[in-house]
Amino acid sequence: MAAFTPVIDDIGFLLSEVFDFDAVMAGLPGYEEVNAELALSVLAEGGRFCAEVLEPLNRTGDEEGCRLENGVVSTPKGFAEAYRAFADAGWTGLSGDAAYGGQGLPRVVQILLDEMLSSANFSFGLFPGLTRGAVEAIGHHADAALKDTYLPKMISGEWTGAMALTESHAGTDLGLLKTRAEPLSDGGYRITGSKIFISSGDHDFGGNIIHLVLARLPDAPAGVKGISLFLVPKFLPDPEGGTNRRNGFSVGALEHKMGIHAQPTCVMNYDGATGWLIGEPGRGLNAMFTMMNAERLFVGIQGLGIGEIALQKATAYARERMQGRSADGTRGPVPIIEHADIRRMLLSGRALTEGGRALAIWTALQMDLAARHPDPNARQAADGFVALLTPVIKAALTDWGFEIAVSAQQVFGGHGYIREWGMEQYVRDARIAQIYEGTNGVQAMDLAGRKLGMEEGKLPHRFFALIRTEIDAAEGRNPMPDLTWPVLAALDDLEEATQALQAKAGDVAEANAAAVDYLRLFALVSLGWMWVRMATAGPAGQTGQMIGRKQALARVFAQRLLPQATALKAAVLAGAESLMAVEDDGF
Amino acid sequence: MAAFTPVIDDIGFLLSEVFDFDAVMAGLPGYEEVNAELALSVLAEGGRFCAEVLEPLNRTGDEEGCRLENGVVSTPKGFAEAYRAFADAGWTGLSGDAAYGGQGLPRVVQILLDEMLSSANFSFGLFPGLTRGAVEAIGHHADAALKDTYLPKMISGEWTGAMALTESHAGTDLGLLKTRAEPLSDGGYRITGSKIFISSGDHDFGGNIIHLVLARLPDAPAGVKGISLFLVPKFLPDPEGGTNRRNGFSVGALEHKMGIHAQPTCVMNYDGATGWLIGEPGRGLNAMFTMMNAERLFVGIQGLGIGEIALQKATAYARERMQGRSADGTRGPVPIIEHADIRRMLLSGRALTEGGRALAIWTALQMDLAARHPDPNARQAADGFVALLTPVIKAALTDWGFEIAVSAQQVFGGHGYIREWGMEQYVRDARIAQIYEGTNGVQAMDLAGRKLGMEEGKLPHRFFALIRTEIDAAEGRNPMPDLTWPVLAALDDLEEATQALQAKAGDVAEANAAAVDYLRLFALVSLGWMWVRMATAGPAGQTGQMIGRKQALARVFAQRLLPQATALKAAVLAGAESLMAVEDDGF
């Protein structure tokens, strides 16, 4: 089996020919020196690490899993060394704030590294991914003393991070959580409670582990407004800078999971552990959402990465596996990649993955614009797009990642069900991305119930107008009507669905009933837009090899996947009535 | 957690009010005594066994798995005792030929038991399921001596069966298989070769294990025409009726699989094992297909059963899990079954499962008609429908079973990913049903490439005409236009897609490109027809509780699922061109 091959060519094409990366970066203070050449050289190096160090640990990590013995967590063989090598090479600080020792590269470079990490070793990728989320929450909301103490070592990778939100009775509904925080006389807090599903909650990589814990202060109001965020390190820092004193929390158990076996998902018990408030009392969810939004983009990228690697393996297998006769009956056995149904599975996956990568890059660029653009209006405009697209990226890319992994497994026939081939692990690992960091249903509700109302309801239409403008421009430059027309028709469907939902704004049941189908429709149209950008990139009338390739894939997308838009619109317009009308005995 | 509840009410409604079971049976020689009352009492008893004995072994079986030590296979704790109790109670012979000791009940009763077995314990259900397939192949193709020796003990459950087709390089394309059979002087054969993926290949239930093995005679032509079928027992029968002599085959390994851990899937080595020819030389695939067709219906039912149990568990969880506020904001936390998106998942699953059950019963009734109807024309007509629907049942019901298991897992949020809750096992177990007994892509090719040409291309149109006639009759009796109109519109789509495919008959790439989407479209319309039958059952104008319930679910089906028909038709009509046009660098 071929191992993982970083898709540097596609990234280069996207950055230079689709997104005009160098020009965009040149306009962002602090990123003037960043360009595609630099990004590609960094990513090629990162891709090598992923392929050579992390990918070989993927299946062994799944088979061995993590262990908890005498309160001590062990990760699978090779993980601790790999993590140290990863940190030593500077990868944990790639997009970290230079003021705290990071390399300060833009978000778009970070997500492309994240995708490769997720392809090579999904479980491993969570360690730096969660640390980065914690870094962002601390960076945005903690006071200077906490930042100075924690950020440099987290950015250098010496220390790692974890987020402790969920309790057994409080998942989606965090307002129900019970963990308590009592103020101490020295400005700290005593944290007491139990959390579940804590990824990277403990490990054997060495260094400190910084938990961000949601808890309630005494007399805090019920519900989400009573929740505050605390920084709770595994080892308490001494005034002299040492970290030898163990804090009062422990791993109660490791969760037994469907997948991501190499990731120690912990039940954590905080027994009067010492912590420090991050941000203001009662504003914990707000601070946590800084982390969550970065994590949601990251999780979407995980879906993208696992789709990419599953496709790579299935394609390699389909080129080698000899079964059946050629379509004209003259040759046999032939490589199964000749069979139209196998091509359908592989190419549908390609269309979703390469379209998804483009959409993720576009969204990450909006994050970079929102953070750095000199014009506050431009920052605000980009920020709105990020808010709009974050749930779309998280849910759609993870749904597609799972569906692609399932299809790629199917290409292997019976061998796909056998552990040794590794395909079933992708299915099991991919599945978690649809669930954690807010289930995909929660993402869809965020889009349909909240994001559609932003900017007084104008935000989505601003996005649709951008799509229309770009497609019009593409048609004037490099027309491809068999792609642009269906995309515009699907955009009409999306606008109609959007208006229908906006007309029912405030009706929770209606938004909730439509949400998942609406998000999928939104994602499909957004992908269509990306396929227009890719298929019509470059100077008018010039279609080199890469654009020819993209145009062929764009046709698969337009003809075989985009027609789903009509069905999704119908499901959105169906409304909540039929769902709510079913009596108790109907389930 | 609620355990498994047999759906006796739904079965009773379907048999009596939808399918007029008593009247149909009264017209079939040998089944005159069979009626819904008898069937329900048998199934209630079988359901109790499934709920009380088999379901409690499901998760422990998954956790413990099977072992191979010193060539001996052990199944998980409790399985051997459960199997003996199952056989002793007569369940292995439910539909077995009375001439060999079976109870001779019709196919429709058998599949309803099979569904419950698959709900309660998917891995366990494979043991009797495969034995029955072997019994059918032997019953149809073996000579009287083999039948007399093997059928009584296989039907009684004393002995079990296995089918040995696949080799590592020959899966879908059985023509490539290499196992050899050399004639012996006594009429037997020496079988030599290695097979993989052999479910129930060995176990510790006691008794003999009867392998049906595909192999090549010396000088047999290459490809499928050189394949013959052999009966190869684990223990060779003595002339005196004893079975003490071990035959020359052994378990090379147990496969390590994604799921069905309690099912010993074996690599089998036949080292000059003694076997006997079943049917004629070179006609092995023909004989095997007798077994395969029964197995394909059985596998479809497995998908149905796992969808049912996953829904039951998710519904029970959704009634108990308290998260979020009511849609009007006045109450909270509320059981999540109040949330529209949770209802969407559960009710979409219900619509597919109850529709799928009806379609499976209809198909099984056609098998009973094909076997017993006194009029040869009626037998032939029914046989055509069975041929048409077999790939549809196998592929669509297993795809839906998997998709429902995934949705049901999603209802559990993070808990769905944790092994202890049992939901992730359903996803892992359900996945195999889409792969084995011919992948769902192979089923789709069977439908689109072969079945559409049967009866000179008239078979599908005969089926569509039946649907139209029944819907017209329903409209005259109990009109429900918000269901019947969309179903008729989807039927139009299906007929258009069918004609397009028939116009390209013989073009393998075209059939192959369209097959999976076409099968899904075919299944969706067939389900719509079943929903019309259910929602309009009973005397005109009388809608009791069950019909009111079915009408509510029918609306969910019509409004939220049936709109997919348009998208599927578009994918079918897209043709092969865009898939075949992609160059090698496009993958």
Side-chain angles (χ1 to χ4, degrees), chain B residues 381-400:
Chain B
D383 207 42
F385 286 147
V386 173
L388 188 66
L389 268 295
T390 295
V392 177
I393 295 277
K394 194 283 182 182
L397 267 56
T398 59
D399 279 353
W400 287 329

